[in-house]
Amino acid sequence: MGGLDDDIIVEEESEKRSRAASPCGHPEDLYGTQSSHRLLAYSDALISIIATVMILPVAHTKVTNEEVVSLAVFQELTQSVQLLLTTKIAVYLVTFLIVTVAWAAHIRLFQVIVRIDDCLALLNLACMMLITFLPYTFSLMATFPANVLGILLFCGCVMVIGVIQSVIVLYAFSRPFLLNHQIQISENPTLYRSHILKVIMRVPLICLMAGVCSFILFQLSYVLLAVVIFLPYISQSIAWCRSKAFGQTEESPDSMVFYSLLPSEPLSKERVEAFSDGVYAIVATLLILDICEDNVPDPAVVQEQFGGSLIEALKVYGPEYLAYFGSFATVGLLWFVHHSLFLHITKATRLMGLLNTLSLAFVGGLPLAYQLTHEFPRNSRNELEAIQISCVIIFFAGIFQLTIWVAALHSERETLHPRVRYSGCEHVFMLAKLSLYPCVTLGTFFLTCVLSRFSASIFHLMEITVPVAFLVLRLLVRFALALLRLLFRPNPPDPGRVVEEDATVPFNPLATE
Amino acid sequence: MGGLDDDIIVEEESEKRSRAASPCGHPEDLYGTQSSHRLLAYSDALISIIATVMILPVAHTKVTNEEVVSLAVFQELTQSVQLLLTTKIAVYLVTFLIVTVAWAAHIRLFQVIVRIDDCLALLNLACMMLITFLPYTFSLMATFPANVLGILLFCGCVMVIGVIQSVIVLYAFSRPFLLNHQIQISENPTLYRSHILKVIMRVPLICLMAGVCSFILFQLSYVLLAVVIFLPYISQSIAWCRSKAFGQTEESPDSMVFYSLLPSEPLSKERVEAFSDGVYAIVATLLILDICEDNVPDPAVVQEQFGGSLIEALKVYGPEYLAYFGSFATVGLLWFVHHSLFLHITKATRLMGLLNTLSLAFVGGLPLAYQLTHEFPRNSRNELEAIQISCVIIFFAGIFQLTIWVAALHSERETLHPRVRYSGCEHVFMLAKLSLYPCVTLGTFFLTCVLSRFSASIFHLMEITVPVAFLVLRLLVRFALALLRLLFRPNPPDPGRVVEEDATVPFNPLATE
């Protein structure tokens, strides 16, 4: 989406200039249009919070576990608790997917509408209010699968969101200066309007059908709701089948690529970053939220049970602080890898967006897995399981980040910066960065299988070494680069000079720009 | 901060160009410097979550209230609960202030360092981890005021943060291409370095003194910690006194204005917006977080108590949904006002930042006040009190937004866009927007005092009318503008044409750009 980003920057600049030049009387000023940048940032923040909210009931279940465990200290997790946990984790994952589908629709809408006014801002807020209510309706569906109320509420919300989005589109097309430049200069904007409305109204119509079906056969309505989530992929495969059967019958105009539902459709890179930042930030602080609320001891309890010694009372919470720092560091480092990756991505596609969503969904489970590792008695079977679950979650979060890169490499000319392409000088470094977490967690996982008695020590060792490894990694890759240069240069300089260059930075690179 | 923003945009663009031009081998590439934009966005998200986190214990207290109230339905809030609530609210407000002081320091640091590399990113993450731990240490201090442990932990955190920030400064000055352009081209960068280090180390040194004092006289250490928070204002008044006593003895260089601790010191407008967005987003979703976690009824309970009727079971939670939509709408509209205001602010100063912080601190209390309004039985004294508290909180949140504008008007040439200055065409409209909430809540407050029996109805009526009022306001101001134009134009056109212009938008303003 480099092109669009550039447009936005250029537009903001020209806006600044035009503002400075024409203080008043200009019709643009009169109607109060604004760059949509901040509205989108606020929407991204709201949606990222809502996407991660259903992890909280999962966390809550674990507190109940703790009670169960404290009652029967060395018993294993009962099967019923495990079933409940599995249900809640499934609810979390599906909610995450549903909310990100709504978010992707929001991105596409505001790739068409590039400027806003007060009315659009208020309509968007109403839309957001309903999106934030979706996780709750879905959680009702999961708790009462045979009751139609959950389905009806969910379908009702989605339909109202669809209606509001249609109103937004109609409003924006009635004020063409709010639209994308491409549509503004096109000869037939009504063609665009009907195409976009058709795409938007598809989802509410399926939901209407699902709502009607729920009275007849509620199982069918769940199938229809699943269709909503996978609609892009279904419609794409239908189009593929059709093109195979009848030849290339339907070809949308080139400029409509951003409303085509293809996996190579560009997503706004800026918004993918903003959404990811929001999720990482919420997830990194999930444990401190609990700690601030629950782990301040009661003065009376300290006086009675610990003889007034606050240090003794706080020692009880020791493992929880450790869990907090561990999860914050891991989430922070995963953010760091994500940040490094997206720095070199020039265009994000739908497929990369989906992989990013899956990576983020695993990141969301991380602090709770960490919390679990410090909750069980040392060397119990539960502790081993919790540590292995943590490793698996980190592994998947890391491996999906790696697949984003792999997906980008498939069409590297369009999506990647030259430096990290196959022939690029930072290709190896990026690969090392992205594969560090998957490799380390895989190693830890198998080590804990073999040396199950030392699982906790191995895990803590991993926690401490990974941040250091990220620093050493840089030096290692630098060293490897220096070696490669030595091997391939006709007149190799002595290795001492290379090290010296590293240490002193003899010239100012910005001065050469 | 318009100037700096422009610099950043220009820099990003030149960066893109330089990347596209020189894929490899450039020393800048080798050392992997990056634009700091996304690191700052992530830091802002983390800090805004942490600033609002201490509202959760306040929320938790209210759940206990509910139990108390349900035991003795028509009793008033007991005094001890009120005292506890007051303490927790004080903790929330002071935490908010402390975290925003840390955030302001972070802004100033990254106004000096405009580019980052991997090492700086990791150091910044370590710094963030300690900042997110500050609220907990402060909450320990508040619960055990006579115990030195809380003070020591707090001082320890602040000192380590100070050391990390000093390391960041030293590292950045050893790689000058990471620095602000102004410092890069200056003749004597070491002068800047020592000045910045002196400003940064002030806070850890006071904390060290406070830590030592806590063993001798712990009351004194609280005084020292209060000095830390108000340090900018204290140092400024000392400088003022000194200049009065000895004349203008000490004058920092012009270009050092961003490290001067003056109230007119510019803050990065972009970051003030990002931080505010984060706080508004968290606060808007606070209630839905609780609803998703707690308000999904247990299937067994539904079967037993409500005869299997899910609708009956959900009706119990009705008031909570109402509270959610009410608080979301109010926070959303306050965000909308904030957004409109900052759209017309060209430079944010320290004073405006402080007023913004105060406004946000009140916004943080809003959802809980709303929750409270729906928690008590109809027409009880508690309900009336809760409604009045909500009005007071919205009033203050709105009035502080208004004072940001008033502060900006004081130096309108530097801080405001011409359109909203005293002579600007949107001055009246902005005033109307900013004063809508304070006026309405003031009116509601006095109405509920007089007609205390209908307080709930009045409050709900306000909730519904305010969003409509924001739309009508626009029409009203347009109408007023049209009237004014009619009065001051030599040849007034007939009013019908003005209305028609509104409806049809005959020309495309972007085409004139």
Side-chain angles (χ1 to χ4, degrees):
Chain A
M1 216 53 251
L4 199 81
D5 281 3
D6 282 352
D7 282 351
I8 290 172
I9 290 172
V10 168
E11 217 165 88
E12 271 170 8
E13 282 192 338
S14 73
E15 181 192 14
K16 269 177 198 163
R17 252 177 262 130
S18 76
R19 271 196 204 166
S22 69
C24 258
H26 200 280
E28 188 192 5
D29 294 330
L30 198 70
Y31 293 105
T33 71
Q34 307 141 11
S35 156
S36 60
H37 175 76
R38 206 182 148 193
L39 181 81
L40 300 183
Y42 184 61
S43 306
D44 287 341
L46 280 177
I47 296 176
S48 58
I49 296 171
I50 288 308
T52 45
V53 66
M54 291 314 292
I55 200 71
L56 288 178
V58 184
H60 209 239
T61 314
K62 265 157 204 158
V63 177
T64 334
N65 278 357
E66 204 180 11
E67 285 160 14
V68 172
V69 172
S70 66
L71 278 174
V73 180
F74 291 103
Q75 272 190 8
E76 306 307 320
L77 284 174
T78 58
Q79 203 140 26
S80 69
V81 170
Q82 273 184 340
L83 185 72
L84 189 66
L85 256 182
T86 316
T87 318
K88 289 195 175 176
I89 290 171
V91 169
Y92 160 68
L93 288 175
V94 178
T95 308
F96 204 99
L97 269 179
I98 292 176
V99 172
T100 46
V101 166
W103 171 70
H106 192 263
I107 291 186
R108 291 151 82 236
L109 187 61
F110 281 91
Q111 280 178 339
V112 172
I113 303 166
V114 293
R115 298 182 64 76
I116 58 159
D117 62 6
D118 284 4
C119 188
L120 278 186
L122 291 174
L123 281 172
N124 182 60
L125 281 179
C127 192
M128 281 298 129
M129 191 195 273
L130 287 161
I131 288 177
T132 55
F133 203 64
L134 283 182
Y136 180 67
T137 61
F138 184 72
S139 144
L140 276 184
M141 282 202 292
T143 321
F144 301 92
N147 198 308
V148 296
L149 190 68
I151 303 173
L152 288 180
L153 270 179
F154 183 85
C155 293
C157 276
V158 173
M159 275 152 56
V160 177
I161 293 171
V163 169
I164 296 177
Q165 287 190 335
S166 308
V167 171
I168 290 177
V169 170
L170 289 174
Y171 181 86
F173 271 87
S174 76
R175 280 158 177 70
F177 49 89
L178 297 172
L179 295 174
N180 192 324
H181 190 62
Q182 238 171 22
I183 297 177
Q184 264 188 61
I185 57 167
S186 80
E187 289 169 9
N188 200 353
T190 47
L191 188 75
Y192 281 93
R193 191 177 64 184
S194 55
H195 173 72
I196 292 166
L197 281 179
K198 220 170 67 189
V199 174
I200 287 177
M201 289 311 287
R202 240 186 253 182
V203 173
L205 281 180
I206 297 175
C207 280
L208 184 64
M209 276 159 62
V212 174
C213 278
S214 67
F215 289 106
I216 306 159
L217 188 70
F218 69 86
Q219 287 88 343
L220 188 64
S221 52
Y222 282 112
V223 176
L224 285 171
L225 292 183
V227 168
V228 169
I229 299 175
F230 296 103
L231 193 62
Y233 308 97
I234 293 169
S235 76
Q236 190 213 342
S237 44
I238 289 174
W240 185 81
C241 293
R242 199 190 283 170
S243 74
K244 286 282 157 190
F246 310 102
Q248 295 261 336
T249 50
E250 199 186 14
E251 184 66 47
S252 62
D254 272 358
S255 50
M256 251 182 215
V257 70
F258 49 79
Y259 240 95
S260 63
L261 295 174
L262 290 174
S264 62
E265 181 192 51
L267 279 180
S268 162
K269 187 196 157 205
E270 202 181 34
R271 293 198 63 189
V272 173
E273 288 181 353
F275 177 72
S276 308
D277 282 350
V279 172
Y280 280 111
I282 299 282
V283 168
T285 48
L286 266 184
L287 285 189
I288 199 78
L289 298 188
D290 282 342
I291 288 178
C292 279
E293 191 169 356
D294 301 329
N295 293 10
V296 179
D298 194 315
V301 173
V302 172
Q303 202 59 47
E304 277 172 33
Q305 292 180 11
F306 301 95
S309 164
L310 184 58
I311 296 179
E312 288 298 319
L314 291 184
K315 266 187 190 161
V316 179
Y317 301 132
E320 277 156 66
Y321 306 140
L322 210 61
Y324 167 64
F325 287 118
S327 76
F328 190 98
T330 310
V331 174
L333 290 172
L334 283 170
W335 174 84
F336 173 70
V337 173
H338 189 271
H339 165 75
S340 306
L341 177 61
F342 271 76
L343 212 61
H344 294 102
I345 286 177
T346 50
K347 191 183 105 177
T349 63
R350 264 190 95 81
L351 180 66
M352 284 154 74
L354 180 71
L355 292 170
N356 186 43
T357 302
L358 290 172
S359 170
L360 291 176
F362 279 99
V363 169
L366 204 83
L368 304 167
Y370 261 85
Q371 194 178 23
L372 213 56
T373 58
H374 300 275
E375 215 162 63
F376 297 110
R378 291 298 295 260
N379 294 329
S380 69
R381 234 188 94 75
N382 282 334
E383 193 202 38
L384 178 66
E385 272 179 9
I387 286 175
Q388 290 183 339
I389 291 173
S390 301
C391 287
V392 169
I393 290 179
I394 303 173
F395 175 76
F396 276 108
I399 213 82
F400 277 116
Q401 288 186 335
L402 189 61
T403 53
I404 299 174
W405 195 46
V406 173
L409 279 174
H410 258 276
S411 50
E412 58 174 17
R413 296 222 148 265
E414 291 163 29
T415 54
L416 279 183
H417 187 269
R419 271 190 291 172
V420 290
R421 290 185 197 162
Y422 277 117
S423 52
C425 57
E426 291 219 349
H427 183 82
V428 186
F429 183 47
M430 185 53 72
L431 182 68
K433 245 185 192 173
L434 283 166
S435 50
L436 182 63
Y437 256 121
C439 291
V440 167
T441 49
L442 208 64
T444 314
F445 184 85
F446 286 116
L447 262 182
T448 53
C449 286
V450 180
L451 304 165
S452 56
R453 280 197 54 201
F454 306 102
S455 59
S457 322
I458 295 171
F459 191 71
H460 290 312
L461 199 71
M462 185 200 85
E463 278 182 351
I464 297 162
T465 49
V466 168
V468 180
F470 268 103
L471 287 169
V472 174
L473 188 76
R474 194 160 181 75
L475 292 174
L476 274 178
V477 173
R478 271 189 200 177
F479 190 69
L481 278 176
L483 265 179
L484 282 173
R485 224 175 296 146
L486 272 174
L487 289 172
F488 290 104
R489 263 190 201 173
N491 297 320
D494 62 322
R497 241 200 82 215
V498 177
V499 175
E500 205 186 322
E501 234 174 62
D502 269 359
T504 55
V505 196
F507 42 77
N508 182 339
L510 274 187
T512 60
E513 265 185 11
Chain B
M1 216 55 255
L4 199 79
D5 283 0
D6 283 353
D7 282 352
I8 289 170
I9 290 171
V10 169
E11 218 166 273
E12 272 169 6
E13 283 190 338
S14 73
E15 180 192 15
K16 271 178 198 164
R17 251 176 264 131
S18 76
R19 273 197 205 166
S22 69
C24 259
H26 200 282
E28 189 191 4
D29 293 330
L30 198 69
Y31 293 104
T33 70
Q34 309 140 10
S35 155
S36 62
H37 175 75
R38 207 182 146 194
L39 181 81
L40 301 183
Y42 183 61
S43 306
D44 287 342
L46 280 177
I47 295 175
S48 59
I49 296 170
I50 288 307
T52 45
V53 65
M54 291 314 293
I55 201 71
L56 288 178
V58 184
H60 207 240
T61 314
K62 264 156 206 161
V63 177
T64 335
N65 278 356
E66 204 180 11
E67 284 160 16
V68 171
V69 172
S70 64
L71 277 175
V73 179
F74 291 103
Q75 271 189 9
E76 305 307 322
L77 283 174
T78 57
Q79 204 140 26
S80 69
V81 172
Q82 272 184 340
L83 185 71
L84 190 66
L85 255 182
T86 317
T87 318
K88 288 195 176 177
I89 290 171
V91 169
Y92 160 69
L93 288 175
V94 178
T95 307
F96 203 98
L97 269 179
I98 290 176
V99 172
T100 46
V101 166
W103 172 71
H106 192 263
I107 292 186
R108 291 150 82 237
L109 188 60
F110 282 90
Q111 282 177 339
V112 172
I113 302 167
V114 293
R115 297 182 65 74
I116 57 160
D117 62 6
D118 285 3
C119 188
L120 278 185
L122 292 172
L123 281 173
N124 182 60
L125 282 179
C127 191
M128 281 298 129
M129 191 196 272
L130 286 162
I131 289 178
T132 55
F133 203 64
L134 282 183
Y136 180 68
T137 60
F138 185 72
S139 144
L140 277 184
M141 283 202 293
T143 322
F144 301 92
N147 198 310
V148 295
L149 190 68
I151 303 172
L152 288 180
L153 269 178
F154 184 85
C155 293
C157 277
V158 173
M159 275 152 56
V160 177
I161 293 171
V163 169
I164 295 178
Q165 287 189 335
S166 308
V167 171
I168 290 178
V169 169
L170 290 174
Y171 180 86
F173 271 87
S174 76
R175 280 157 177 71
F177 49 89
L178 298 173
L179 294 175
N180 195 324
H181 191 62
Q182 238 173 21
I183 296 178
Q184 264 188 59
I185 57 168
S186 79
E187 289 168 11
N188 201 352
T190 47
L191 187 75
Y192 281 93
R193 191 178 64 184
S194 55
H195 174 73
I196 292 166
L197 281 180
K198 219 170 69 188
V199 174
I200 286 177
M201 289 311 287
R202 241 186 253 179
V203 173
L205 281 179
I206 297 174
C207 279
L208 183 65
M209 277 159 60
V212 173
C213 279
S214 65
F215 289 106
I216 305 156
L217 188 70
F218 70 86
Q219 288 89 343
L220 188 63
S221 53
Y222 284 111
V223 175
L224 284 172
L225 292 183
V227 167
V228 169
I229 299 175
F230 297 103
L231 192 62
Y233 309 98
I234 293 170
S235 76
Q236 190 212 342
S237 44
I238 289 174
W240 185 82
C241 292
R242 198 190 283 170
S243 74
K244 286 283 156 190
F246 309 101
Q248 296 260 337
T249 50
E250 199 187 15
E251 184 64 50
S252 63
D254 272 358
S255 50
M256 253 183 215
V257 71
F258 51 80
Y259 241 95
S260 62
L261 296 172
L262 290 173
S264 62
E265 181 193 48
L267 279 181
S268 161
K269 187 197 158 205
E270 201 180 34
R271 294 199 62 186
V272 173
E273 287 181 353
F275 178 72
S276 308
D277 282 350
V279 171
Y280 280 111
I282 298 282
V283 168
T285 47
L286 265 185
L287 285 190
I288 198 78
L289 297 189
D290 281 343
I291 288 179
C292 279
E293 191 169 358
D294 302 330
N295 293 8
V296 179
D298 193 318
V301 173
V302 172
Q303 202 58 47
E304 277 173 32
Q305 293 181 11
F306 300 98
S309 165
L310 184 57
I311 297 180
E312 288 299 319
L314 291 183
K315 263 185 191 164
V316 178
Y317 302 132
E320 276 154 66
Y321 306 140
L322 210 63
Y324 168 64
F325 288 118
S327 77
F328 190 98
T330 311
V331 174
L333 290 172
L334 283 170
W335 174 84
F336 174 70
V337 173
H338 189 270
H339 165 75
S340 307
L341 177 61
F342 271 76
L343 212 61
H344 295 104
I345 287 177
T346 51
K347 191 183 106 175
T349 63
R350 266 189 91 84
L351 180 66
M352 285 154 74
L354 180 71
L355 292 170
N356 187 42
T357 301
L358 290 172
S359 170
L360 290 177
F362 279 100
V363 169
L366 206 83
L368 303 166
Y370 261 85
Q371 193 178 22
L372 213 54
T373 57
H374 300 276
E375 213 162 64
F376 297 110
R378 292 297 297 258
N379 293 330
S380 69
R381 232 187 95 74
N382 282 334
E383 193 201 41
L384 178 65
E385 272 179 11
I387 286 175
Q388 290 183 340
I389 291 173
S390 300
C391 288
V392 170
I393 289 178
I394 304 175
F395 174 77
F396 276 109
I399 213 82
F400 276 116
Q401 286 185 334
L402 189 61
T403 52
I404 296 173
W405 194 47
V406 173
L409 279 173
H410 257 276
S411 50
E412 58 174 18
R413 294 223 149 265
E414 290 162 30
T415 55
L416 279 182
H417 186 267
R419 272 191 290 174
V420 291
R421 290 184 196 163
Y422 277 117
S423 52
C425 57
E426 291 219 349
H427 182 83
V428 186
F429 183 46
M430 186 53 73
L431 183 68
K433 246 185 192 174
L434 282 166
S435 52
L436 182 62
Y437 256 121
C439 291
V440 168
T441 48
L442 208 64
T444 313
F445 185 85
F446 286 115
L447 263 181
T448 52
C449 287
V450 181
L451 304 165
S452 57
R453 279 199 53 203
F454 305 102
S455 58
S457 324
I458 295 170
F459 191 70
H460 292 312
L461 199 71
M462 183 199 86
E463 277 181 352
I464 297 161
T465 49
V466 167
V468 180
F470 269 102
L471 287 169
V472 175
L473 188 75
R474 188 154 186 81
L475 292 174
L476 275 178
V477 173
R478 272 189 198 175
F479 190 70
L481 278 177
L483 264 181
L484 281 174
R485 227 175 293 147
L486 272 175
L487 288 172
F488 290 104
R489 265 191 198 170
N491 296 320
D494 62 323
R497 240 201 83 214
V498 176
V499 175
E500 204 186 322
E501 235 174 64
D502 270 0
T504 56
V505 196
F507 41 76
N508 181 340
L510 274 187
T512 58
E513 263 186 11

